[in-house]
Amino acid sequence: MKAPRHAYPYEATPGSAAVAGPLPLACAVITRDEADNIGRCLASVAGLVREIVVVDSGSTDATCEIAREYGARVIHRDWTGFAAQKQFAMDQCSQPWLLSLDADEALEPAARAAIEALFAGDSEPAHAGYEINRLTWYLGDWVRHTWYPEWRLRLVRRDRAAWRDYNGHDYLAVDGEVARLGGHLLHYSYRNLEHHMQQSIHYARMSGLQLAQGDRRIPISKLFFSPLGRFIRLYLLKQGWRDGWRGVLLAFSSVMSGFLKYAFALEARQARDSAKTPPDGDS
């Protein structure tokens, strides 16, 4: 479902002014069929950045057209994985600083103001990277406990940063100290519960397949302890119960994802090992 009007505080309209900002900053976004989100995302950086780069992996909707309306340079690239795709997008930017956003994210006005203040002086920002606290909109309300706070490194010196991958999860790393900015990175996560479940299974499968590629042993105990650990962390330690029924859904969806990740990994490892060892009687 779409967020209500009050959750979308931007009035910017498409046009060339969207990339006429004074900051030595580029915004990079990767997309595929994000027509419902990309306009909100790019509106939140309109007038703030000098360059917008969108790397699209084959959208069949109006994603690319909307991005171009906001002055973005749209580049097609076949899908190669999250970290590789985001690294490619960063490499296409020319500004010394990078703001990396997902298509379903947008800068809150307070976060935008914090970035403007960071570059307001005559000197360069003091740190190599800056985290922004992400606030997620989920099934009609903001999630303020289960997935919050969620600090994400999004603003970095481009020559000191790189995208990495660990067990199927992409993350942005920098060479140097990291500080935190005020305001929120607004995350408009899932259209509905079905979309959430589909995406959870999809990402769990990708993580599991990547985990299975190595030779490291995958303990069967992970099928139990990984989901249990997720539930304890989200529902109890982060007080997900304070998010009401949304907190219950989020905690148990994470339990499911944790279980499926290792289930998919074990399945893939078994299939790989079976292919290496022919059954008795075969040559």
Side-chain angles (χ1 to χ4, degrees):
M1 65 183 295
K2 292 185 178 180
R5 182 65 179 172
H6 72 267
Y8 177 53
Y10 306 106
E11 299 294 341
T13 56
S16 59
V19 291
L23 303 186
L25 180 62
C27 178
V29 187
I30 65 170
T31 59
R32 182 172 182 179
D33 294 333
E34 293 286 357
D36 290 341
N37 292 314
I38 192 64
R40 177 179 56 223
C41 174
L42 299 187
S44 75
V45 300
L48 178 72
V49 301
R50 290 180 182 171
E51 179 184 27
I52 297 174
V53 173
V54 170
V55 174
D56 187 80
S57 57
S59 290
T60 58
D61 60 10
T63 297
C64 296
E65 290 80 0
I66 296 171
R68 291 189 182 98
E69 289 176 355
Y70 279 93
R73 178 161 60 99
V74 179
I75 303 168
H76 173 80
R77 186 176 193 248
D78 290 341
W79 182 253
T80 55
F82 284 103
Q85 205 80 348
K86 291 181 179 181
Q87 181 64 46
F88 177 83
M90 183 169 71
D91 292 342
Q92 307 314 301
C93 297
S94 62
Q95 299 300 312
W97 286 84
L98 174 79
L99 176 65
S100 181
L101 297 179
D102 291 340
D104 61 357
E105 295 174 340
L107 287 180
E108 185 185 48
R112 178 183 171 118
I115 294 174
E116 291 173 333
L118 188 66
F119 287 87
D122 295 331
S123 60
E124 283 273 305
H127 299 88
Y130 293 86
E131 295 179 336
I132 307 174
N133 197 4
R134 191 162 80 164
L135 179 64
T136 297
W137 179 264
Y138 181 73
L139 301 184
D141 203 356
W142 297 109
V143 177
R144 298 189 179 274
H145 300 281
T146 318
W147 282 348
Y148 185 87
E150 187 183 19
W151 291 95
R152 293 296 180 108
L153 183 62
R154 294 294 196 212
L155 180 64
V156 294
R157 279 198 62 94
R158 195 167 55 86
D159 60 353
R160 298 176 65 180
W163 281 97
R164 306 295 187 204
D165 184 280
Y166 179 75
N167 281 348
H169 295 281
D170 58 283
Y171 67 96
L172 188 56
V174 292
D175 179 17
E177 294 184 353
V178 173
R180 290 177 171 178
L181 293 176
H184 288 111
L185 181 64
L186 303 178
H187 181 212
Y188 299 87
S189 57
Y190 301 105
R191 296 188 299 271
N192 49 45
L193 184 59
E194 181 180 2
H195 182 221
H196 183 190
M197 295 300 103
Q198 289 172 344
Q199 292 296 98
S200 295
I201 294 171
H202 173 66
Y203 290 129
R205 184 175 184 274
M206 288 199 305
S207 297
L209 293 179
Q210 182 157 358
L211 182 62
Q213 289 177 1
D215 294 325
R216 193 172 181 178
R217 189 175 72 89
I218 303 174
I220 297 178
S221 60
K222 286 286 188 179
L223 289 170
F224 175 76
F225 288 110
S226 176
L228 179 62
R230 290 185 181 210
F231 181 81
I232 292 173
R233 179 173 61 86
L234 294 178
Y235 199 71
L236 300 179
L237 299 182
K238 298 199 74 172
Q239 301 182 42
W241 52 270
R242 297 179 66 181
D243 287 318
W245 60 269
R246 293 175 183 84
V248 175
L249 290 181
L250 292 173
F252 276 94
S253 69
S254 185
V255 167
M256 179 190 73
S257 296
F259 175 83
L260 288 178
K261 172 184 173 179
Y262 287 97
F264 281 127
L266 289 166
E267 178 191 44
R269 180 68 63 81
Q270 189 275 335
R272 187 190 70 179
D273 293 344
S274 297
K276 290 181 179 178
T277 307
D280 292 342
D282 292 351
S283 57

